[in-house]
């Protein structure tokens, strides 16, 4: 997932990818992949980039994309923002039993309900 907010702010401020890459101590091609969504931006890097651009992290931060694909009796999580491995592949696949995915989805629903309840100010 491309980091549109980050790219927009960087360009508005008049900075190049090379300048930000230098600031976060990486090469420009790696930073370019971070901005285009091919490589994950770490929390520490988000903080450094925000400092460099002199903006709050919230102004540039965008979630990393993770997709879930059903694979036979297991679900596979494909981390699109994974780190390059020795084969040059930039995705990590994890086989997770359906029961674990189901439990996590139920937990997410409970958390969403709790957030809604808290926003409404009820106990």
């Amino acid at each position: 997932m491309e980091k549109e907010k980050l790219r927009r702010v960087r360009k508005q401020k008049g900075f190049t990818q090379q300048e930000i890459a230098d600031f976060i101590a990486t090469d420009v091609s790696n930073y370019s992949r971070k901005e285009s969504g091919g490589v994950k931006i770490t929390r520490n890097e988000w903080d450094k980039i925000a400092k460099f651009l002199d903006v709050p992290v919230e102004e540039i931060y965008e979630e990393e994309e993770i997709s879930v694909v059903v694979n036979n009796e297991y679900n596979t999580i494909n981390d699109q923002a994974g780190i390059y491995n020795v084969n040059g592949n930039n995705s990590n696949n994890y086989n997770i039993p359906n029961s674990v995915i189901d439990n996590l989805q139920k937990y997410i629903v409970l958390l969403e309900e709790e957030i809604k309840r808290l926003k409404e100010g009820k106990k």
Side-chain angles (χ1 to χ4, degrees), residues 16 19 26 31 52 66 83 106 111 114 116:
T16 65
E19 290 170 308
T26 191
Y31 176 79
F52 181 82
I66 295 178
I83 299 171
K106 288 175 186 174
L111 290 173
E114 179 69 6
K116 182 179 177 182

Side-chain angles (χ1 to χ4, degrees), residues 22-34:
D22 291 344
F23 189 77
I24 65 170
T26 191
D27 59 88
V28 70
S29 64
N30 189 43
Y31 176 79
S32 178
R33 287 191 301 270
K34 290 175 182 290

